[in-house]
Amino acid sequence: MEFFKIKRDIPFMRYGRLTTTISLVTFILAILALGFKGLNLGIDFTGGILMEVRYAQPADLEAIRKTLEEQRIVEAAVQNFGTSRDVLIRLPLREDTGARQSDQIFSALKAQDGTAELKRVEFVGPQVGKEMYESGGLALMLVAAGIMAYLAMRFAWRFAVAAMIANMHDIVIILGMFAFFEWEFTLSVLAGVLAILGYSVNESVVVFDRVRENFRKMRKAAVTDVIDNAITATMSRTIITHSMTQLMVLAMFFFGGDALHNFALALTIGIVFGIYSSVLVACPVVLALGVSRADLLLPEKEGLVDNRP
């Protein structure tokens, strides 16, 4: 299905160096954010108590911190969550960490401001948090390895390498943005990152399939022309697919509540950069790696030739 048809191929590969340079700069900035600021890990990974408190008016974060200090809690992280009236309090693990401590803290906050309302309390032990962190990293590596093996079998090693570079580009940028803006990184966000790995590679597969088809049809065309035609021919499909997906993600972002907020945020970043990387990162990389007809085709057969330049 096509909402519009482009009559002339858009010369995407003419700007390949520019787009890959932009991607490289963005990638490096994301790495720097991860290196200097690190991920704001949720208690799913670190262990401790997470309390979400809502006020009738914009919360006074300094007053909340002072109240916690009076409770001899000096290492708590206090920040707005979603709106100025919602506050997220993360307490590090201590010997007395538990339900009794959270009750005492909320009682103190309630005494400070009678409009305080406790929305949720979560507790995660240190061993569970460590296991989740290690399992999450292992899951990322296994998914990446599986995708690369699949692409190598379906196409050729050049396509597998290009697709994985594009996928890693998306993942690192998601992580970098979460690190830079200090958004909380939880298990739901990790689930979103894993979903983007599969979602992004699907777009690359669609483009690569069209490239392989064009190599059969456009026997006398240059490799850059073959790739430009493949990208242009799939643009309508790309716009329709990603627009519909993004509509669903935006519904979760605005109406899914706090539990789905950061999950939808990770998906949104991944979808936007996934479109960019599949077209303007994966294809220039596969071109730079020297892809040719010999990588995908059998010797030319009579009746399969398209004399289109």
Side-chain angles (χ1 to χ4, degrees):
M1 181 175 66
E2 291 184 342
F3 285 163
F4 57 87
K5 187 173 182 63
I6 302 174
K7 296 182 179 180
R8 297 184 60 182
D9 294 343
I10 301 173
F12 289 101
M13 294 304 98
R14 183 184 300 173
Y15 308 102
R17 289 186 179 180
L18 174 62
T19 57
T20 50
T21 300
I22 294 173
S23 296
L24 181 61
V25 171
T26 309
F27 186 88
I28 292 173
L29 291 175
I31 291 291
L32 290 175
L34 286 168
F36 285 101
K37 303 190 73 171
L39 289 172
N40 179 22
L41 295 175
I43 64 168
D44 297 335
F45 300 113
T46 61
I49 291 180
L50 182 146
M51 299 176 61
E52 183 184 342
V53 182
R54 176 170 294 174
Y55 293 86
Q57 65 283 328
D60 187 343
L61 299 185
E62 289 303 321
I64 294 173
R65 293 189 181 100
K66 185 177 180 180
T67 300
L68 293 176
E69 289 175 2
E70 293 173 353
Q71 297 292 315
R72 297 181 181 180
I73 301 173
V74 296
E75 299 179 356
V78 180
Q79 63 188 82
N80 286 118
F81 180 69
T83 70
S84 60
R85 297 186 298 110
D86 296 306
V87 177
L88 200 64
I89 302 172
R90 291 183 299 154
L91 309 176
L93 284 171
R94 300 192 325 187
E95 293 182 359
D96 59 344
T97 297
R100 178 176 298 179
Q101 186 191 29
S102 63
D103 291 340
Q104 292 174 350
I105 293 172
F106 179 68
S107 297
L109 295 175
K110 188 75 172 178
Q112 175 213 341
D113 188 331
T115 66
E117 178 186 357
L118 186 63
K119 300 297 294 183
R120 61 176 169 134
V121 177
E122 297 178 6
F123 172 78
V124 178
Q127 186 60 35
V128 174
K130 182 180 178 182
E131 290 177 358
M132 287 182 176
Y133 187 80
E134 294 174 350
S135 298
L138 179 61
L140 275 174
M141 290 188 290
L142 290 177
V143 170
I147 290 173
M148 194 165 184
Y150 164 75
L151 291 173
M153 291 186 293
R154 178 162 181 169
F155 297 101
W157 70 267
R158 291 178 178 84
F159 289 94
V161 171
M164 283 314 304
I165 289 175
N167 271 264
M168 290 301 103
H169 165 273
D170 300 341
I171 300 309
V172 169
I173 287 178
I174 293 174
L175 298 179
M177 292 188 72
F178 267 80
F180 181 79
F181 293 106
E182 297 183 352
W183 295 325
E184 187 179 24
F185 190 86
T186 62
L187 278 177
S188 64
V189 177
L190 177 61
V193 171
L194 292 173
I196 288 299
L197 267 174
Y199 186 84
S200 180
V201 78
N202 176 69
E203 183 64 28
S204 298
V205 168
V206 169
V207 175
F208 289 165
D209 268 334
R210 184 56 64 95
V211 170
R212 179 165 55 184
E213 181 181 336
N214 282 357
F215 271 139
R216 295 190 180 100
K217 294 179 178 180
M218 302 167 63
R219 295 279 184 166
K220 295 184 179 181
V223 175
T224 54
D225 295 333
V226 168
I227 295 176
D228 286 339
N229 179 269
I231 298 172
T232 304
T234 56
M235 277 191 65
S236 181
R237 176 260 176 204
T238 298
I239 292 172
I240 295 171
T241 301
H242 288 277
S243 296
M244 295 301 102
T245 305
Q246 188 58 54
L247 282 176
M248 299 302 104
V249 173
L250 288 175
M252 289 190 291
F253 183 84
F254 289 110
F255 308 113
D258 297 336
L260 294 178
H261 184 273
N262 281 6
F263 171 73
L265 183 60
L267 288 179
T268 297
I269 299 170
I271 290 171
V272 172
F273 281 95
I275 300 172
Y276 178 88
S277 65
S278 297
V279 174
L280 300 176
V281 176
C283 290
V285 169
V286 80
L287 183 63
L289 291 174
V291 69
S292 65
R293 289 178 174 80
D295 295 317
L296 297 173
L297 299 181
L298 297 173
E300 183 175 317
K301 295 182 180 180
E302 185 177 357
L304 294 178
V305 179
D306 183 354
N307 294 324
R308 178 170 37 174

